[in-house]
Amino acid sequence: MVVRGVVQGVGFRPFVYRLALEEGLAGFIGNDTDGVTIEVEGPAEGLEAFLSRLRAEAPPLARIDSVAARELPATGEAGFRIVASEVLGRVSTGIPADAATCPDCLRELLDPADRRYRYPFLNCTNCGPRFTITRRIPYDRPQTSMARFKMCADCQAEYDDPLNRRFHAQPNACWECGPRVWLAGADGAEIAADDAVAATIDRLLAGEVVAIKGIGGFHLSVDATNEAAVMRLRERKRRFGKPLAVMVRDLEAAREVCALTAAEEALLTTSARPIVLARRKDGCGIADAVAPGIPWLGVYLPYAPLQHLLFADRRARALVMTSANLSEEPIAIDNDEARARLGAIADVFLMHDREILQRCDDSVAAVVDGALQLIRRARGFVPLGVELPPGLRLEAPPLLAVGGHMKNVFALARGRFVYQSQHLGDLENLTGLDFFTESLDHLMRTFEIEPEAVAHDLHPGYLSTEWAKKRAAARGLTPIAVQHHHAHVAGCMAEHGLAGEAIGLALDGTGYGADGRIWGGEVLVSRLDGFERFAHLEYVPMPGGEAAIREPWRMALGHLFRAGFDVESDGVLSLLGAKAAEARVLRRMMERGVNSPLTSSCGRLFDAVAAVVLGRRVVDYEAQAAIELEGLAVDEADEPGYAMEIAGGDWSRREPVRIGAGPLWRTLVDDLRSGVSKARIAARFHAGVAAGFVRAAVLARAATGMKQVVLSGGCMHNRRLARLLRAGLEAEGFEVFQHRRVSPGDGGLSYGQAVVAAAILAKRR
Ligand SMILES: [Zn+2]
Ligand SMILES: [Zn+2]
Ligand SMILES: [Zn+2]
């Protein structure tokens, strides 16, 4: 039989070996191209039990997608063997994702009688680094950064014993033979310490900033309960607003700092160990500077033995563990690189000598509207593929989708699988592009995918678009341009196997539109291979272009101008905290259409409202204003929403409906002036936006007869908006679909691009 799924490097062969012995079966197992091949012979009841237990008792990291079994004549085998990969032809290609320390290893780590007591790199076939330590396929020790560590006799014996938990555990190591940790100063010199981990905790508790080498890169760490230490880290990083992730000892400790739902607890403890955005408890002792201005905390649990050790003596309660980089640069992985880039930030470095070969940030997830939502899909998920549902009847030729611009993630696709890269950050400079090409080369080798086509965004100015076009020309690939919001919507359709047509709501930051304008509040009548624009938020000017994203007060000025307010009046100036002179300049720009591109972005509407309600003039990180606005309403009951205006639209002539925010602004400003609480205003605003789009969806159904709605775009990270939209649409009788395995934001864009490209190519053939 042939078993497909995630069955290599996860202890599957020793599991099958034990199973065969227990059921008294003879035969063999070996890895093949994309799974394992098993031949067993023996009594019928044994074979039957073997088959059912194969699925029921598979090891924790394994994922069985299919078992294809057929009968063969008995060959009279005696005993059960694990055969070398080469015997079955082409060598295996899979590299598993990194997995958190398993309970068995954790027990050994903390057991003074165990030979690996407090060993920071212990692992087994059920846990440990995988993707981040692998240079090339096949996933075997010589191809990993463990190659330079020769196993001692004890480790080798475990590695060779099919009944041992460490049978073929490629990163197997111990105090005798494996990597080591040490503390170093900013100059690189080792700081003498009996126990580098204990010395690190001393430093952290004294308020120092420590760079700690992890699984996918370095973290910058400080004591999360020490306000001054957190501020020190922020000042040195020159990042003041962006929330920092906090690691705590275990689930019990996480419950002390956050009010967790069962779904959030389940998410926290998966082997991928993502950062989970959860509701922070008041008075939980975490420094305010960790996540200023918002009611959530990004919390996660240790996933590497070294991290468990930092909490083992219970002196450290909560540690900030944030990716060691400057703003959106790639995370630092190399010891020398870390010293060079972080020397001015970290007081000391907790180093180790197991090389990190693939940069990989921590993943970020949340439970939104009752279901898992991936915000950043990286460590623990990469390089696992996402399968296109069979109902889609879509097979992709080998292709590459390069993603967008911000929060870039690319995807490779072949057949029914789309493999997304780790989060690569913003492709704004050459460092970002280097990371992109380095990671692309690695994943192309890993999956042996040589693309025939390359999908890219419609935006002519994106570095990713430019790169894709050059690549297509140089290698004779078919280039396919995909509109940004169509990619968002098609991705969500594909996740749910919707092969026909659907109404797609793409509520997003910005994306280049088919008319050259900046879209982002879109109702698209969508197929996988194309779309029509049914409705959109009314265009408003962005005075100063990109500057209006960094300075939301400009966006508010644009919106108020569009809504008919006199933007030089004292009333508006005081709302915005703006000076008459600057308002005059921007007004002229908008009137003359100079440096004031038009946008239908929903994210920009949130920014504009946040600028007025919260008085936030400048943002420190993307979507900050919108996130704070959502946070403001977190405890507020549902309110009737501000009205939005529906105008224009003629479906027979494909003329889109316009959703105007004029009435919304007028009521909102009245509310502000009459002293309605800001929390209540924020709640009414969310409800108004949701209701406006629900009305547009109802019109789209009337015009097209479609009853299925998919929700996508970066604004779907907003819990309140996601919940209100779904509830509103369901109340109108729609069937509603949201992203589950792919991010609704730009981290999921390449998945959607790959789907659209595959659908277009399938149609052409
Ligand atoms: Zn383990
Ligand atoms: Zn050893
Ligand atoms: Zn987007």
Side-chain angles (χ1 to χ4, degrees):
M1 74 192 73
V2 175
V3 183
R4 305 216 180 282
V6 181
V7 289
Q8 298 179 359
V10 293
F12 198 75
R13 289 173 302 162
F15 154 71
V16 169
Y17 180 91
R18 277 193 300 276
L19 206 57
L21 292 190
E22 284 171 27
E23 296 299 339
L25 304 177
F28 66 87
I29 177 172
N31 285 341
D32 66 16
T33 313
D34 31 20
V36 295
T37 296
I38 306 168
E39 280 191 30
V40 279
E41 59 181 273
E45 59 276 23
L47 290 170
E48 220 164 274
F50 178 86
L51 261 178
S52 70
R53 291 180 65 191
L54 189 69
R55 278 181 182 275
E57 298 171 23
L61 298 180
R63 190 191 77 202
I64 297 179
D65 292 334
S66 69
V67 179
R70 64 190 168 95
E71 269 184 52
L72 295 169
T75 55
E77 287 263 349
F80 194 86
R81 293 172 296 139
I82 294 179
V83 299
S85 304
E86 304 81 70
V87 174
L88 297 167
R90 207 156 69 125
V91 173
S92 112
T93 59
I95 300 176
D98 302 306
T101 309
C102 74
D104 289 332
C105 285
L106 188 55
R107 213 168 296 127
E108 292 171 348
L109 182 72
L110 304 176
D111 175 5
D114 193 274
R115 76 183 186 92
R116 289 191 177 84
Y117 176 55
R118 289 181 67 79
Y119 181 57
F121 302 95
L122 90 171
N123 62 82
C124 72
T125 48
N126 297 325
C127 73
R130 301 283 189 273
F131 174 69
T132 50
I133 58 163
T134 307
R135 196 182 308 276
R136 65 178 75 86
I137 54 160
Y139 172 63
D140 271 331
R141 192 169 174 109
Q143 317 288 2
T144 71
S145 56
M146 289 303 291
R148 53 181 282 246
F149 301 96
K150 187 175 161 24
M151 273 186 277
C152 67
D154 286 346
C155 287
Q156 188 69 49
E158 294 165 340
Y159 185 91
D160 292 334
D161 175 6
L163 291 176
N164 193 286
R165 203 172 93 242
R166 296 195 164 92
F167 175 71
H168 282 206
Q170 306 305 344
N172 191 24
C174 74
W175 284 112
E176 276 304 305
C177 62
R180 62 180 280 268
V181 294
W182 69 93
L183 199 61
D187 57 357
E190 185 164 341
I191 297 170
D194 288 342
D195 183 329
V197 173
T200 299
I201 302 166
D202 294 340
R203 299 278 187 151
L204 287 166
L205 294 179
E208 292 191 15
V209 178
V210 185
I212 299 175
K213 189 173 181 180
I215 297 290
F218 276 79
H219 284 112
L220 285 166
S221 185
V222 290
D223 177 356
T225 63
N226 182 335
E227 202 79 52
V230 177
M231 279 316 294
R232 194 168 305 128
L233 172 62
R234 286 199 176 280
E235 272 152 25
R236 291 185 191 172
K237 259 192 116 175
R238 277 173 255 116
R239 289 309 289 264
F240 295 96
K242 195 166 187 176
L244 303 169
V246 169
M247 186 177 278
V248 295
R249 188 179 59 245
D250 51 19
L251 189 55
E252 193 190 325
R255 288 180 184 136
E256 287 171 17
V257 295
C258 286
L260 297 168
T261 63
E264 285 166 340
E265 292 191 355
L267 195 51
L268 270 173
T269 50
T270 57
S271 75
R273 286 288 196 283
I275 295 167
V276 176
L277 301 182
R279 187 70 196 276
R280 170 167 43 176
K281 279 188 179 167
D282 287 338
C284 66
I286 300 293
D288 288 339
V290 166
I294 56 170
W296 303 282
L297 190 65
V299 65
Y300 62 147
L301 303 182
Y303 52 85
L306 183 57
Q307 296 161 349
H308 281 288
L309 290 173
L310 289 172
F311 294 98
D313 67 3
R314 300 195 167 236
R315 284 193 293 155
R317 190 172 159 238
L319 296 174
V320 166
M321 288 284 230
T322 185
S323 294
N325 53 9
L326 289 167
S327 65
E328 281 293 321
E329 274 183 15
I331 187 170
I333 54 172
D334 177 78
N335 291 3
D336 294 333
E337 177 196 15
R339 262 196 304 275
R341 281 169 54 188
L342 310 172
I345 303 177
D347 295 302
V348 287
F349 293 76
L350 184 58
M351 295 287 199
H352 65 67
D353 56 356
R354 185 176 67 197
E355 228 185 314
I356 299 170
L357 296 174
Q358 308 304 328
R359 288 171 215 276
C360 205
D361 279 280
D362 293 315
S363 293
V364 182
V367 176
V368 174
D369 197 19
L372 163 70
Q373 188 183 86
L374 282 171
I375 294 165
R376 186 205 282 162
R377 190 176 182 277
R379 179 191 46 75
F381 294 96
V382 176
L384 300 179
V386 175
E387 195 174 2
L388 298 172
L392 219 52
R393 298 185 301 277
L394 190 62
E395 294 263 338
L399 63 86
L400 164 67
V402 295
H405 184 59
M406 307 287 277
K407 300 185 184 132
N408 187 269
V409 168
F410 67 81
L412 288 165
R414 182 182 53 205
R416 293 238 312 274
F417 279 89
V418 181
Y419 304 95
Q420 283 203 290
S421 74
Q422 67 272 48
H423 164 88
L424 302 175
D426 297 349
L427 286 192
E428 279 183 316
N429 48 44
L430 290 177
T431 333
L433 199 62
D434 283 349
F435 185 14
F436 175 91
T437 50
E438 150 195 320
S439 182
L440 176 64
D441 286 343
H442 180 249
L443 279 189
M444 278 174 55
R445 281 199 308 267
T446 300
F447 296 111
E448 295 180 328
I449 293 178
E450 193 53 62
E452 294 166 9
V454 55
H456 59 82
D457 196 87
L458 212 53
H459 199 304
Y462 281 2
L463 220 47
S464 60
T465 304
E466 215 175 283
W467 184 93
K469 286 181 172 165
K470 265 191 213 148
R471 179 85 159 200
R475 303 207 177 179
L477 314 180
T478 311
I480 298 173
V482 182
Q483 199 279 325
H484 189 100
H485 303 102
H486 180 220
H488 276 311
V489 166
C492 192
M493 288 174 68
E495 271 201 66
H496 294 284
L498 305 180
E501 293 182 307
I503 299 169
L505 302 193
L507 309 190
D508 202 29
T510 52
Y512 193 81
D515 59 0
R517 288 177 174 160
I518 301 166
W519 292 9
E522 311 301 315
V523 180
L524 306 181
V525 169
S526 190
R527 303 176 309 278
L528 294 181
D529 63 356
F531 71 97
E532 302 281 354
R533 194 184 198 195
F534 182 83
H536 61 86
L537 281 179
E538 182 80 86
Y539 283 124
V540 297
M542 291 172 76
E546 290 277 305
I549 300 179
R550 288 188 303 274
E551 299 177 27
W553 72 274
R554 287 171 177 261
M555 209 54 241
L557 195 98
H559 261 284
L560 290 169
F561 174 77
R562 187 71 185 74
F565 285 79
D566 174 3
V567 296
E568 286 177 63
S569 66
D570 290 344
V572 168
L573 292 177
S574 75
L575 270 181
L576 299 176
K579 294 188 190 75
E582 54 188 12
R584 192 171 316 124
V585 172
L586 295 193
R587 177 196 202 135
R588 286 213 191 111
M589 278 165 60
M590 293 188 290
E591 277 168 356
R592 295 175 191 165
V594 177
N595 196 15
S596 300
L598 293 179
T599 184
S600 57
S601 163
C602 186
R604 297 291 86 78
L605 172 60
F606 270 80
D607 284 354
V609 168
V612 168
V613 177
L614 290 157
R616 176 161 285 292
R617 240 180 107 86
V618 181
V619 290
D620 189 46
Y621 61 95
E622 208 222 341
Q624 179 180 12
I627 291 169
E628 289 173 348
L629 191 66
E630 182 196 352
L632 195 58
V634 74
D635 287 324
E636 201 64 22
D638 285 338
E639 292 277 338
Y642 296 129
M644 296 194 83
E645 193 172 38
I646 301 281
D650 180 348
W651 182 240
S652 65
R653 290 157 55 195
R654 296 299 183 263
E655 212 177 86
V657 167
R658 300 188 309 276
I659 309 167
L664 176 151
W665 279 107
R666 287 188 284 277
T667 336
L668 186 149
V669 169
D670 283 348
D671 271 2
L672 260 181
R673 286 180 178 151
S674 59
V676 175
S677 83
K678 294 188 170 186
R680 190 152 175 222
I681 292 174
R684 295 193 68 186
F685 166 68
H686 280 81
V689 172
F693 278 95
V694 170
R695 274 175 67 199
V698 169
L699 291 177
R701 177 174 59 194
T704 65
M706 293 175 200
K707 295 185 179 70
Q708 294 177 319
V709 177
V710 304
L711 302 178
S712 192
C715 297
M716 299 317 297
H717 292 316
N718 183 315
R719 297 147 197 248
R720 192 177 193 99
L721 186 64
R723 174 176 61 77
L724 289 171
L725 272 170
R726 186 190 43 76
L729 289 162
E730 284 178 355
E732 290 287 350
F734 285 103
E735 201 184 346
V736 183
F737 301 89
Q738 307 195 37
H739 286 277
R740 289 295 171 250
R741 290 185 298 168
V742 174
S743 168
D746 284 3
L749 201 65
S750 59
Y751 175 83
Q753 291 174 339
V755 166
V756 172
I760 289 175
L761 291 169
K763 205 174 173 188
R764 285 185 195 166
R765 270 162 201 193

